[in-house]
Every structure is written in structure tokens, then in C-alpha cells.
Amino acid sequence: MSPTLLISKELPQLTYHSSRDRFDNTWQEPLSTLLGLGRAAGADLIEFFIERVNYISSLAEEDAITSISPRLSTGAGIRIFKGKADCYVSTNDVSFTGLKIALEKGLSILGLTLPSPNSYIPEINLEMLRDYATAKEKETWLSQCSSMEEMGEILLKANYNLAQKASHAQSRRAMYFRDWQEILIATSDGTFARDIRLTQSVSYSLFCADGTYRSSIGKRFGDTSDPHFLRQWNYETAAESVAESAGKMLYADFVESGNYPVIMANEFGGVIFHEACGHLLETTQIEHKTTPFMDKKGEKIAHENLTAWDEGRSDKAFGTLDMDDEGMPTQRTLLIENGILKNFLADRTGSMRTGHPRTGSGRRQSYAYAAASRMRNTYIAPGNYSLDDLFASIDKGIYCKQMGGGSVGATGEFNFSVSEAYLIEKGQITKPLKGATLIGTAKDIMTEISMCSQDLGLAPGFCGSVSGSIYVTVGQPHLKVDKITVGGR
């Protein structure tokens, strides 16, 4: 136990007995001591992010389980700020000694040295542990999840069901993962918070072939906070949908390239807004001066019928959090309202360097990464039009029912493949099309989205950026893009 007034030379004699089974109040005193040591060395702010992970994934190919991949990890990341400079050090030794060594290395990177042996270490008054895990009864989640045996049984049943519904199937895959994470955050500004997160996903992937004809369709489902998610997955309905789409695309005609009005489906159709615009509203982009919107707050950047949100509160959505990875409670952030840019997404560092207020958007893949401004659940809000209104407004165009992969440049140039598309003629869907690629820039497409229907849908996804790969939600209602370049034949 440390004395009320701690002197630097007494640090080597300190012993702490923090719980290794869970992050709790026993961590308060050692972390407070280390934070005080960093402040005594001259740092302006120090942050500890400590993490435990229990992860497992399983893959069924055809009628066999071909892969089971478990992963257990524990570690800590320490971020140190001095002025507008910062550094980040990570370690998998979360003992008091291990954390102290990592802290000293970080301080040295910024040219800071430990106080002299007779210096007092200031006491950091951490808040009472803000424990979302206990308050929201998350402690039993891991034990309630599907066992390894149950995972295999469900995936094999799902793949068998897909075989019954699909024609000309050449490859069938059903995949599942469960990611359980416990985190503890302590910073020298007094933040002291704990949470448990449970993220799960299951997906189908189907490849069909008949002679020279080919089609490939996938579908992903995701959830946070429900340990019974896999047991409740309706794989029969999912298999029917995937098989139907693959069958229609198998013999589809190739699309002719040109400029078209398009209707983009809800749910995963929102990936284009996420990639082409959402990233450009993160303060990380402002720091690097790579966003065309950096000086546009309060100005019109999109069609007047477009409103967009980023938030961490939607029930069970893939990007939902009780707090971000810097300990800030989650919230709703209005990005665009009736075409006017309202806010950017800011983490602690982004706020310090750009002046935009923090939005609970500091996120990271794991303790190996420093947090950065990242999206959570990002979507275009529902509008005032019906789906019939959208189709009736198009004489000849393309319905993009399901998006595939794509790429986005640093300043918003994008191209995205469409895995399931249909020709629209005189307001009606007439035939399936394949080979379509949507090409454009964020600045242009935002002004071309003129109609949004009322059927907002969300879909799970993964987002990679400077702080690693994180879980996010994309989404939108059905919407009309007045004109966009479509690559094809």
C-alpha cells in the first residue's frame, strides 16, 4: 500500500495485488500511482488502455468444419501527451512493473525523464469506477455463448440447408466468430472506466457455376450484446435469400457502361457513404488535410434531402458501444442535416489538434493501437419518399440491390462493385445485370442523392484505418442517385 505522500525513491518497494480475473477497483491505486509518475515526469496527459480478449472463429466448408481458430490475449497500451505531441507504447505485461517499464519508455520517447529520487509523486484522483459491465449485467455473457460443439452443429446445419436451396453450387461456406473483450481505461484527467463487449457475426458465402456462367453472393449478419445470437440465427431464411440472389445473377446479362440514375438498396448499400464520405468527416483526415470538407462546417455539402448520423447507441448494432476506447460515454452525432455539414467525428487527439469537440469516437482494434477518430453506426437517415416514388422517377437506370467490394482514395474517389443489380425501365425492374461498378467522388455523389425512402436498414461491417480494424454499422434507406458513372461492358 502506498503512503499518502509518495516519494519517487519508494516506487521500487511498492507492491500491488490487482485482480487477474477481472478489471475492478483493485486496479485503481496502482494506475493512479503510475499516472502520477507520468505527470511528475512532465507529461501533460497519460492514458492507460488495458484489455483482455477471448476470441474464437469457426468455418464450415461444404459439409465439414475446416477451421477453428481461438485466440486469448491480454495487454495494455499507454499514450503520453506533451503539448500537441504524443507517443504510444504497448505491452503484454500488465503487472505493475511491466506497466511502469512501458511508461518509462514512452516518457523517454518524448524526451521526458523520471523525477529525482526525492521528488513527490502527485496523487491522481480517479473517479469512482464507472463500470458498465456490472451495471448492465454483462459478466455472464461469455459463459452463455455457444460452445465449440454447438457452433459446429449450427454451421453444418446451415451449410446443408444452403445446399438444398441453391442450384449449381460449387462452393458453400458458413462462417462464425465471437469476440469477447474486457477493457479498463484510466487517464490522468481522472477517467476510470470499465466495460465488457461481445461482438458476434455469422455469414454465408455461395459460389455457383454452370458452364461458363458464374455468380458469387455473400451475406453477413452481426450482433452486439446477445450471447444467444448464433442459436437464434434463422439460417433457413438466410440460405433462401442467398440462393435466390445467386440463381438470378448466374445467367444475368452484363451491364453496359455509362452514366445512369441508380437506386441503391438499404442496409449494406450504406457502405458507399461510409467509405466515400464518412472517413472524410473524421478529424484524422483534417489533421492530414486530406478531406475536401475540412473548412465546410456549416456549409452545404450534400443534397437538401440528405441527413446523416453517426452514433453508438442503436440496439445490438455492430458499432454500438457504451463508451469509446478513451472512456468517453457514447452519443449520437449529427453529421449532415438537410445537406448542411454539422459536425466532425473527433477523438481526444483530433479534438486537441483541430478544435472540434470530442464525440465519443475514439476507437482502436486492440491495445496494440492508439485510438483515433473512427465511425460507429453511420447511416443516411430515412426520408419522405416511398420506394414506389423512387422507382417511378426513373425511366432507365439501375437498381443496385447488393454491394460488393471496392476501394476509396484518400480524398474520396471511389469505385465499388455491385454483386446484385437489375435494369430499371419505365419505373419497373426488368432483368438482372452483372459486372456493374459504381465510380465517382464523395463531393459529387453527395449532391446527386436526391430522394431517400422511409425504410432505413442497418448492416454489419468492418472498417480498417490508422487504429486497426474495428466493427462498424453501415446503413441507409433505399435512395436515388440522380447520376453516377457505371462501369461495365
Side-chain angles (χ1 to χ4, degrees):
M1 183 70 67
S2 63
T4 303
L5 293 177
L6 181 64
I7 301 176
S8 182
K9 66 182 179 182
E10 297 170 333
L11 285 170
Q13 284 76 47
L14 293 178
T15 57
Y16 294 105
H17 302 285
S18 303
S19 170
R20 289 296 180 265
D21 297 326
R22 67 197 299 268
F23 298 144
D24 57 21
N25 279 311
T26 61
W27 288 77
Q28 182 170 0
E29 191 170 1
L31 290 175
S32 176
T33 298
L34 291 170
L35 291 168
L37 178 62
R39 291 285 286 128
D44 294 329
L45 184 86
I46 307 98
E47 173 199 81
F48 282 86
F49 175 89
I50 308 175
E51 173 193 57
R52 290 197 301 154
V53 168
N54 187 317
Y55 174 96
I56 191 168
S57 65
S58 183
L59 169 64
E61 295 181 285
E62 315 314 329
D63 299 308
I65 300 296
T66 59
S67 174
I68 297 176
S69 301
R71 173 169 54 87
L72 302 174
S73 67
T74 301
I78 305 170
R79 195 166 193 175
I80 305 168
F81 295 85
K82 180 65 175 176
K84 290 190 176 182
D86 70 284
C87 73
Y88 192 76
V89 178
S90 63
T91 177
N92 58 10
D93 183 352
V94 297
S95 67
F96 180 79
T97 300
L99 294 175
K100 180 173 175 289
I101 291 171
L103 173 64
E104 291 175 6
K105 289 182 177 179
L107 292 169
S108 67
I109 292 172
L110 291 177
L112 301 175
T113 57
L114 294 179
S116 63
N118 292 317
S119 298
Y120 287 108
I121 305 301
E123 182 180 2
I124 302 299
N125 294 314
L126 297 175
E127 64 178 309
M128 290 182 61
L129 182 61
R130 188 161 25 98
D131 191 345
Y132 295 99
T134 300
K136 297 196 174 184
E137 301 180 343
K138 304 178 182 183
E139 304 284 359
T140 61
W141 278 357
L142 183 59
S143 63
Q144 293 175 22
C145 288
S146 296
S147 66
M148 191 180 304
E149 181 180 5
E150 187 178 23
M151 290 178 207
E153 290 175 352
I154 293 173
L155 292 179
L156 290 175
K157 288 179 181 178
N159 243 13
Y160 175 79
N161 196 267
L162 187 58
Q164 305 308 301
K165 298 182 183 298
S167 298
H168 306 291
Q170 300 297 305
S171 173
R172 293 172 287 118
R173 293 158 59 98
M175 295 152 281
Y176 166 79
F177 76 77
R178 179 213 70 217
D179 192 357
W180 178 94
Q181 178 195 42
E182 181 186 16
I183 63 172
L184 183 69
I185 297 168
T187 62
S188 57
D189 66 0
T191 298
F192 189 44
R194 170 182 182 251
D195 198 10
I196 286 177
R197 299 164 180 171
L198 177 64
T199 308
Q200 297 175 89
S201 176
V202 65
S203 61
Y204 265 137
S205 178
L206 174 64
F207 173 70
C208 297
D210 183 14
T212 59
Y213 296 100
R214 302 282 189 275
S215 69
S216 179
I217 294 290
K219 182 72 173 178
R220 179 176 296 281
F221 307 87
D223 181 270
T224 59
S225 77
D226 183 2
H228 304 291
F229 165 72
L230 183 61
R231 300 182 186 103
Q232 297 170 353
W233 177 41
N234 190 335
Y235 55 78
E236 293 184 355
T237 300
E240 186 172 348
S241 174
V242 170
E244 180 182 6
S245 295
K248 289 180 177 179
M249 290 299 103
L250 185 58
Y251 305 108
D253 293 333
F254 282 95
V255 68
E256 294 182 6
S257 59
N259 291 320
Y260 294 91
V262 304
I263 292 175
M264 296 179 60
N266 59 358
E267 299 182 0
F268 200 68
V271 68
I272 288 187
F273 178 79
H274 170 101
E275 292 288 1
C277 183
H279 279 296
L280 300 179
L281 301 182
E282 296 167 343
T283 50
T284 305
Q285 299 281 346
I286 298 178
E287 291 180 58
H288 296 145
K289 303 185 186 303
T290 53
T291 170
F293 305 128
M294 62 181 297
D295 298 319
K296 301 296 184 182
K297 187 173 180 179
E299 298 182 19
K300 186 176 181 180
I301 66 167
H303 194 283
E304 62 188 20
N305 287 334
L306 189 146
T307 293
W309 292 87
D310 179 273
E311 46 87 2
R313 302 175 68 91
S314 292
D315 187 37
K316 297 183 179 296
F318 229 42
T320 291
L321 306 161
D322 282 312
M323 67 176 185
D324 73 357
D325 291 330
E326 297 178 320
M328 182 175 178
T330 193
Q331 63 182 51
R332 289 169 56 84
T333 304
L334 179 62
L335 299 176
I336 301 169
E337 184 178 31
N338 299 327
I340 306 298
L341 177 59
K342 292 292 187 178
N343 291 290
F344 289 91
L345 299 176
D347 63 322
R348 185 192 301 275
T349 307
S351 179
M352 289 170 52
R353 293 175 180 166
T354 69
H356 292 287
R358 290 173 67 189
T359 55
S361 305
R363 303 191 63 192
R364 65 185 96 198
Q365 177 179 330
S366 71
Y367 73 88
Y369 296 84
S373 56
R374 305 290 296 276
M375 286 173 276
R376 297 159 296 184
N377 305 314
T378 311
Y379 50 84
I380 295 173
N384 299 317
Y385 295 93
S386 69
L387 191 55
D388 289 340
D389 292 335
L390 270 63
F391 278 97
S393 70
I394 295 179
D395 185 59
K396 183 179 181 181
I398 296 173
Y399 174 39
C400 302
K401 185 176 181 181
Q402 189 168 173
M403 301 302 299
S407 62
V408 182
T411 56
E413 304 86 357
F414 66 83
N415 64 83
F416 279 91
S417 65
V418 184
S419 57
E420 184 177 2
Y422 298 88
L423 181 65
I424 303 171
E425 295 178 295
K426 299 187 184 304
Q428 302 294 320
I429 292 175
T430 56
K431 66 176 183 178
L433 298 171
K434 62 185 176 184
T437 301
L438 304 183
I439 304 168
T441 65
K443 290 179 65 176
D444 292 337
I445 194 174
M446 297 293 287
T447 60
E448 297 288 346
I449 299 173
S450 63
M451 301 174 73
C452 298
S453 67
Q454 301 163 356
D455 57 347
L456 173 64
L458 305 179
F462 306 92
C463 177
S465 188
V466 292
S467 59
S469 178
I470 60 173
Y471 305 120
V472 297
T473 293
V474 300
Q476 63 183 33
H478 278 79
L479 55 81
K480 179 191 176 185
V481 181
D482 287 340
K483 182 177 64 177
I484 191 170
T485 300
V486 179
R489 284 192 173 181

